[in-house]
Amino acid sequence: MSKVAGTAGTLLTGDATGNAVRIDKKIVTTLTNLDTDVLTTKAVSAVTSAIDTKATNAGTAASTAQTAANTAQTTANGKMAKVAASASAQIIVASATGDASASGKKIGGATLAATPSVSTLATEAAVAAALTWQTLG
């Protein structure tokens, strides 16, 4: 094959007789040799599409999370709050806003206690037993 002058970095091919022929195309080794307008349009289109997809997916996930939070809040709004375990056996009262709290008062038994307490409410049975004439024995 014979040498072809001025062919550094260009592609060569052979003709029908076997002689080297220069092709007017260069081997691209850096992006600076590409058609940047076409590359930029394609790259921007691909990136924009990917961003749009990610944004749509993120928006859908956020919307789903917000819907779940709204549902949980609606459910929570219809229920009383729990009170501390230390309030065991106490009467639970509601405030004007609907919040539950322990009253510090307990319900008494069937008879009045030997030592009255301001924190125990008497039952009807205990009051009736206290007011009934009993035979002392």
Side-chain angles (χ1 to χ4, degrees):
M1 183 181 245
S2 60
K3 291 184 179 182
V4 179
T7 59
T10 61
L11 295 174
L12 301 175
T13 188
D15 65 6
T17 61
N19 292 319
V21 180
R22 182 176 134 184
I23 301 173
D24 288 327
K25 302 289 181 192
K26 290 189 174 196
I27 297 172
V28 177
T29 57
T30 64
L31 292 178
T32 57
N33 294 331
L34 293 175
D35 179 355
T36 55
D37 289 338
V38 172
L39 174 66
T40 302
T41 301
K42 287 180 182 177
V44 168
S45 177
V47 169
T48 302
S49 177
I51 290 171
D52 286 346
T53 300
K54 295 280 185 186
T56 298
N57 291 345
T60 300
S63 177
T64 301
Q66 183 63 51
T67 299
N70 289 345
T71 300
Q73 183 61 47
T74 299
T75 301
N77 285 342
K79 294 184 177 180
M80 291 180 66
K82 289 185 176 182
V83 294
S86 61
S88 176
Q90 292 184 24
I91 298 171
I92 305 301
V93 294
S95 69
T97 60
D99 293 330
S101 62
S103 66
K105 307 294 183 206
K106 296 183 179 187
I107 298 174
T111 60
L112 296 177
T115 307
S117 170
V118 295
S119 298
T120 303
L121 300 177
T123 63
E124 287 183 339
V127 172
L131 296 177
T132 303
W133 287 98
Q134 298 179 10
T135 306
L136 297 175

